[in-house]
Amino acid sequence: MLSISEFSQMCHLSPQALRFYHAEGLLVPAEVDDRTGHRSYAFEQVERAMLITLLRDTGMSVKLVRRALDEPDQALALLDRHSDEVSRERQAQADAIAAARAVFEAQPEPRLRHVPAVTVVARLVPGTPLGRDAQEWDLAEEIITAAAAELVTTVRQAGVTCLGEPWRTLALETPEQDRRVLDGVGPFWTVKVAVAGTPETLPPLPADLIVQTPDAHDELSIFMPGRNTMAKYCTVVLRLLDAAPVDGDRFANLARLRQEVRPDGVLSSAPVERRPA
């Protein structure tokens, strides 16, 4: 029999790790002294200790290690699934590092730009949650992104040319939309895309599409690298609020903030409007 100290040195596992594996049922000592609690291990247990170390070094959880040891015929399949999960985590970390680097390098600041008059086709997006937590926000992002892609496809199938990428904005353009948003009923979002032509020259479109003709105007815009999150959305709002006034009687209307989601980040723009007299 080997004492816990001897077994620890032989397996390169600390006594604390051995006690933890005992408590978890992964590596139960061959004998435990009822009076002193001293643990003793058999030499044959070195192999199990080696397998545990191999699996734990991959980052596998104790639960998965136990299953791999208890069901050796499933060990390779478990390793494959764990490898896929590790790859996804590494990619997520790489994306997060790239986004953090981009934000610190770019130091996003609002910029004033001019938007010419153009015809716009819009569609309300039903079924999005309020985004009160990360899960709801991600679900809303998924639904809005799909709705924007569907809008572009529908417009193109009607024979209309899209000008640039689609965007989303809060559904606050009519009193009825305002009421439904404030009541928490929704739809909360509208997706839009600029198109070639005028309302008179456009071919027939599905009944749920709305054709708009916004005038030329200025926008206060800011580009935030990386994927869209609630924290980034709020940061954009704060930076636009903190931006220097355009002039004495004009302001950036954040209620009409629009977001164009791009592969490398999100361009958020608020129209600059005259203050009510």
PDB file of all heavy atoms in Angstrom, residues 2 24 60 99 110 113-114 133 135 149 198 202 208 226-227 236 256 270-271 274:
ATOM      1  N   LEU A   2       0.374   2.292  -0.613  1.00  0.00           N
ATOM      2  CA  LEU A   2       1.084   3.561  -0.692  1.00  0.00           C
ATOM      3  C   LEU A   2       0.306   4.610   0.108  1.00  0.00           C
ATOM      4  O   LEU A   2      -0.925   4.688   0.015  1.00  0.00           O
ATOM      5  CB  LEU A   2       1.197   4.020  -2.147  1.00  0.00           C
ATOM      6  CG  LEU A   2       1.957   3.086  -3.097  1.00  0.00           C
ATOM      7  CD1 LEU A   2       1.710   3.494  -4.537  1.00  0.00           C
ATOM      8  CD2 LEU A   2       3.449   3.109  -2.788  1.00  0.00           C
ATOM      9  N   GLU A  24     -15.289  13.126  -4.933  1.00  0.00           N
ATOM     10  CA  GLU A  24     -16.111  13.080  -6.137  1.00  0.00           C
ATOM     11  C   GLU A  24     -16.330  11.658  -6.643  1.00  0.00           C
ATOM     12  O   GLU A  24     -17.041  11.450  -7.634  1.00  0.00           O
ATOM     13  CB  GLU A  24     -15.470  13.922  -7.248  1.00  0.00           C
ATOM     14  CG  GLU A  24     -15.462  15.413  -6.979  1.00  0.00           C
ATOM     15  CD  GLU A  24     -16.850  15.999  -6.971  1.00  0.00           C
ATOM     16  OE1 GLU A  24     -17.714  15.513  -7.749  1.00  0.00           O
ATOM     17  OE2 GLU A  24     -17.103  16.942  -6.199  1.00  0.00           O
ATOM     18  N   MET A  60     -11.830  18.810 -19.344  1.00  0.00           N
ATOM     19  CA  MET A  60     -13.088  18.118 -19.091  1.00  0.00           C
ATOM     20  C   MET A  60     -13.554  18.339 -17.661  1.00  0.00           C
ATOM     21  O   MET A  60     -12.738  18.375 -16.728  1.00  0.00           O
ATOM     22  CB  MET A  60     -12.930  16.615 -19.342  1.00  0.00           C
ATOM     23  CG  MET A  60     -13.375  16.123 -20.689  1.00  0.00           C
ATOM     24  SD  MET A  60     -13.430  14.315 -20.696  1.00  0.00           S
ATOM     25  CE  MET A  60     -14.083  14.016 -22.330  1.00  0.00           C
ATOM     26  N   ALA A  99     -12.673  41.972 -30.731  1.00  0.00           N
ATOM     27  CA  ALA A  99     -13.618  43.066 -30.499  1.00  0.00           C
ATOM     28  C   ALA A  99     -13.071  44.055 -29.480  1.00  0.00           C
ATOM     29  O   ALA A  99     -13.182  45.272 -29.663  1.00  0.00           O
ATOM     30  CB  ALA A  99     -14.957  42.500 -30.025  1.00  0.00           C
ATOM     31  N   PRO A 110     -18.672  59.774 -31.887  1.00  0.00           N
ATOM     32  CA  PRO A 110     -19.712  60.181 -32.837  1.00  0.00           C
ATOM     33  C   PRO A 110     -19.157  61.089 -33.933  1.00  0.00           C
ATOM     34  O   PRO A 110     -18.256  61.902 -33.700  1.00  0.00           O
ATOM     35  CB  PRO A 110     -20.715  60.936 -31.962  1.00  0.00           C
ATOM     36  CG  PRO A 110     -20.443  60.457 -30.561  1.00  0.00           C
ATOM     37  CD  PRO A 110     -18.971  60.202 -30.513  1.00  0.00           C
ATOM     38  N   ARG A 113     -22.652  63.090 -40.305  1.00  0.00           N
ATOM     39  CA  ARG A 113     -22.616  62.756 -41.727  1.00  0.00           C
ATOM     40  C   ARG A 113     -23.963  63.107 -42.346  1.00  0.00           C
ATOM     41  O   ARG A 113     -24.988  63.190 -41.660  1.00  0.00           O
ATOM     42  CB  ARG A 113     -22.290  61.289 -41.943  1.00  0.00           C
ATOM     43  CG  ARG A 113     -23.342  60.322 -41.438  1.00  0.00           C
ATOM     44  CD  ARG A 113     -22.993  58.903 -41.811  1.00  0.00           C
ATOM     45  NE  ARG A 113     -24.095  57.989 -41.554  1.00  0.00           N
ATOM     46  CZ  ARG A 113     -24.201  56.781 -42.092  1.00  0.00           C
ATOM     47  NH1 ARG A 113     -23.271  56.357 -42.917  1.00  0.00           N
ATOM     48  NH2 ARG A 113     -25.224  56.001 -41.809  1.00  0.00           N
ATOM     49  N   HIS A 114     -23.929  63.302 -43.666  1.00  0.00           N
ATOM     50  CA  HIS A 114     -25.144  63.674 -44.395  1.00  0.00           C
ATOM     51  C   HIS A 114     -25.728  62.453 -45.085  1.00  0.00           C
ATOM     52  O   HIS A 114     -25.000  61.644 -45.672  1.00  0.00           O
ATOM     53  CB  HIS A 114     -24.849  64.757 -45.427  1.00  0.00           C
ATOM     54  CG  HIS A 114     -26.065  65.226 -46.160  1.00  0.00           C
ATOM     55  ND1 HIS A 114     -27.035  66.013 -45.569  1.00  0.00           N
ATOM     56  CD2 HIS A 114     -26.478  65.004 -47.434  1.00  0.00           C
ATOM     57  CE1 HIS A 114     -27.997  66.260 -46.440  1.00  0.00           C
ATOM     58  NE2 HIS A 114     -27.687  65.670 -47.584  1.00  0.00           N
ATOM     59  N   ASP A 133     -32.507  40.457 -20.436  1.00  0.00           N
ATOM     60  CA  ASP A 133     -31.274  39.805 -20.013  1.00  0.00           C
ATOM     61  C   ASP A 133     -30.537  39.361 -21.267  1.00  0.00           C
ATOM     62  O   ASP A 133     -31.002  39.546 -22.395  1.00  0.00           O
ATOM     63  CB  ASP A 133     -31.556  38.612 -19.083  1.00  0.00           C
ATOM     64  CG  ASP A 133     -32.503  37.588 -19.695  1.00  0.00           C
ATOM     65  OD1 ASP A 133     -32.469  37.394 -20.933  1.00  0.00           O
ATOM     66  OD2 ASP A 133     -33.288  36.980 -18.945  1.00  0.00           O
ATOM     67  N   GLN A 135     -29.877  36.465 -22.544  1.00  0.00           N
ATOM     68  CA  GLN A 135     -30.541  35.446 -23.355  1.00  0.00           C
ATOM     69  C   GLN A 135     -31.639  36.062 -24.210  1.00  0.00           C
ATOM     70  O   GLN A 135     -31.758  35.756 -25.408  1.00  0.00           O
ATOM     71  CB  GLN A 135     -31.112  34.353 -22.450  1.00  0.00           C
ATOM     72  CG  GLN A 135     -31.725  33.182 -23.210  1.00  0.00           C
ATOM     73  CD  GLN A 135     -32.182  32.063 -22.286  1.00  0.00           C
ATOM     74  OE1 GLN A 135     -32.082  32.164 -21.067  1.00  0.00           O
ATOM     75  NE2 GLN A 135     -32.692  30.997 -22.863  1.00  0.00           N
ATOM     76  N   ALA A 149     -32.720  40.023 -43.173  1.00  0.00           N
ATOM     77  CA  ALA A 149     -32.319  39.230 -44.339  1.00  0.00           C
ATOM     78  C   ALA A 149     -33.538  38.858 -45.182  1.00  0.00           C
ATOM     79  O   ALA A 149     -33.495  38.895 -46.428  1.00  0.00           O
ATOM     80  CB  ALA A 149     -31.577  37.975 -43.882  1.00  0.00           C
ATOM     81  N   THR A 198     -38.594  55.346 -56.916  1.00  0.00           N
ATOM     82  CA  THR A 198     -39.526  56.139 -56.118  1.00  0.00           C
ATOM     83  C   THR A 198     -40.754  55.292 -55.832  1.00  0.00           C
ATOM     84  O   THR A 198     -40.976  54.260 -56.485  1.00  0.00           O
ATOM     85  CB  THR A 198     -39.954  57.406 -56.886  1.00  0.00           C
ATOM     86  OG1 THR A 198     -40.690  57.009 -58.055  1.00  0.00           O
ATOM     87  CG2 THR A 198     -38.737  58.228 -57.311  1.00  0.00           C
ATOM     88  N   LEU A 202     -42.048  51.799 -58.070  1.00  0.00           N
ATOM     89  CA  LEU A 202     -41.813  50.470 -57.506  1.00  0.00           C
ATOM     90  C   LEU A 202     -42.890  49.501 -57.961  1.00  0.00           C
ATOM     91  O   LEU A 202     -44.065  49.866 -58.078  1.00  0.00           O
ATOM     92  CB  LEU A 202     -41.801  50.538 -55.973  1.00  0.00           C
ATOM     93  CG  LEU A 202     -40.652  51.291 -55.299  1.00  0.00           C
ATOM     94  CD1 LEU A 202     -40.815  51.233 -53.782  1.00  0.00           C
ATOM     95  CD2 LEU A 202     -39.305  50.729 -55.714  1.00  0.00           C
ATOM     96  N   ASP A 208     -47.552  43.704 -46.203  1.00  0.00           N
ATOM     97  CA  ASP A 208     -46.984  44.058 -44.905  1.00  0.00           C
ATOM     98  C   ASP A 208     -45.743  44.938 -45.019  1.00  0.00           C
ATOM     99  O   ASP A 208     -45.166  45.322 -43.997  1.00  0.00           O
ATOM    100  CB  ASP A 208     -46.644  42.799 -44.100  1.00  0.00           C
ATOM    101  CG  ASP A 208     -45.559  41.959 -44.763  1.00  0.00           C
ATOM    102  OD1 ASP A 208     -45.453  42.005 -46.006  1.00  0.00           O
ATOM    103  OD2 ASP A 208     -44.839  41.259 -44.037  1.00  0.00           O
ATOM    104  N   GLY A 226     -17.433  44.734 -33.167  1.00  0.00           N
ATOM    105  CA  GLY A 226     -17.883  43.513 -32.490  1.00  0.00           C
ATOM    106  C   GLY A 226     -19.391  43.338 -32.554  1.00  0.00           C
ATOM    107  O   GLY A 226     -20.126  44.140 -33.124  1.00  0.00           O
ATOM    108  N   ARG A 227     -19.849  42.262 -31.926  1.00  0.00           N
ATOM    109  CA  ARG A 227     -21.273  41.943 -31.972  1.00  0.00           C
ATOM    110  C   ARG A 227     -22.068  42.908 -31.104  1.00  0.00           C
ATOM    111  O   ARG A 227     -21.556  43.502 -30.162  1.00  0.00           O
ATOM    112  CB  ARG A 227     -21.506  40.494 -31.519  1.00  0.00           C
ATOM    113  CG  ARG A 227     -21.319  40.231 -30.034  1.00  0.00           C
ATOM    114  CD  ARG A 227     -21.499  38.753 -29.715  1.00  0.00           C
ATOM    115  NE  ARG A 227     -21.465  38.511 -28.282  1.00  0.00           N
ATOM    116  CZ  ARG A 227     -22.540  38.512 -27.509  1.00  0.00           C
ATOM    117  NH1 ARG A 227     -23.725  38.730 -28.035  1.00  0.00           N
ATOM    118  NH2 ARG A 227     -22.442  38.279 -26.216  1.00  0.00           N
ATOM    119  N   VAL A 236     -23.415  53.323 -26.782  1.00  0.00           N
ATOM    120  CA  VAL A 236     -23.647  54.167 -27.953  1.00  0.00           C
ATOM    121  C   VAL A 236     -24.583  55.316 -27.596  1.00  0.00           C
ATOM    122  O   VAL A 236     -24.330  56.485 -27.942  1.00  0.00           O
ATOM    123  CB  VAL A 236     -24.231  53.319 -29.105  1.00  0.00           C
ATOM    124  CG1 VAL A 236     -24.868  54.211 -30.170  1.00  0.00           C
ATOM    125  CG2 VAL A 236     -23.142  52.458 -29.725  1.00  0.00           C
ATOM    126  N   ARG A 256     -35.140  57.744 -32.563  1.00  0.00           N
ATOM    127  CA  ARG A 256     -35.123  57.242 -33.939  1.00  0.00           C
ATOM    128  C   ARG A 256     -33.755  56.653 -34.298  1.00  0.00           C
ATOM    129  O   ARG A 256     -33.393  56.568 -35.470  1.00  0.00           O
ATOM    130  CB  ARG A 256     -35.497  58.372 -34.902  1.00  0.00           C
ATOM    131  CG  ARG A 256     -36.923  58.873 -34.734  1.00  0.00           C
ATOM    132  CD  ARG A 256     -37.202  60.046 -35.665  1.00  0.00           C
ATOM    133  NE  ARG A 256     -36.985  59.672 -37.064  1.00  0.00           N
ATOM    134  CZ  ARG A 256     -36.809  60.542 -38.048  1.00  0.00           C
ATOM    135  NH1 ARG A 256     -36.812  61.846 -37.784  1.00  0.00           N
ATOM    136  NH2 ARG A 256     -36.620  60.127 -39.281  1.00  0.00           N
ATOM    137  N   ALA A 270     -28.223  58.489 -35.261  1.00  0.00           N
ATOM    138  CA  ALA A 270     -29.414  59.201 -34.804  1.00  0.00           C
ATOM    139  C   ALA A 270     -29.617  60.408 -35.684  1.00  0.00           C
ATOM    140  O   ALA A 270     -28.669  61.197 -35.894  1.00  0.00           O
ATOM    141  CB  ALA A 270     -29.245  59.636 -33.352  1.00  0.00           C
ATOM    142  N   PRO A 271     -30.811  60.606 -36.242  1.00  0.00           N
ATOM    143  CA  PRO A 271     -31.038  61.770 -37.117  1.00  0.00           C
ATOM    144  C   PRO A 271     -30.953  63.074 -36.333  1.00  0.00           C
ATOM    145  O   PRO A 271     -31.388  63.140 -35.175  1.00  0.00           O
ATOM    146  CB  PRO A 271     -32.445  61.523 -37.643  1.00  0.00           C
ATOM    147  CG  PRO A 271     -33.092  60.649 -36.625  1.00  0.00           C
ATOM    148  CD  PRO A 271     -32.003  59.783 -36.074  1.00  0.00           C
ATOM    149  N   ARG A 274     -34.512  69.521 -35.880  1.00  0.00           N
ATOM    150  CA  ARG A 274     -34.736  70.825 -35.268  1.00  0.00           C
ATOM    151  C   ARG A 274     -35.511  70.679 -33.983  1.00  0.00           C
ATOM    152  O   ARG A 274     -36.433  69.868 -33.903  1.00  0.00           O
ATOM    153  CB  ARG A 274     -35.524  71.725 -36.232  1.00  0.00           C
ATOM    154  CG  ARG A 274     -34.781  72.074 -37.512  1.00  0.00           C
ATOM    155  CD  ARG A 274     -33.721  73.113 -37.289  1.00  0.00           C
ATOM    156  NE  ARG A 274     -33.006  73.411 -38.505  1.00  0.00           N
ATOM    157  CZ  ARG A 274     -31.948  74.225 -38.563  1.00  0.00           C
ATOM    158  NH1 ARG A 274     -31.483  74.774 -37.453  1.00  0.00           N
ATOM    159  NH2 ARG A 274     -31.360  74.453 -39.706  1.00  0.00           N
TER     160      ARG A 274
END
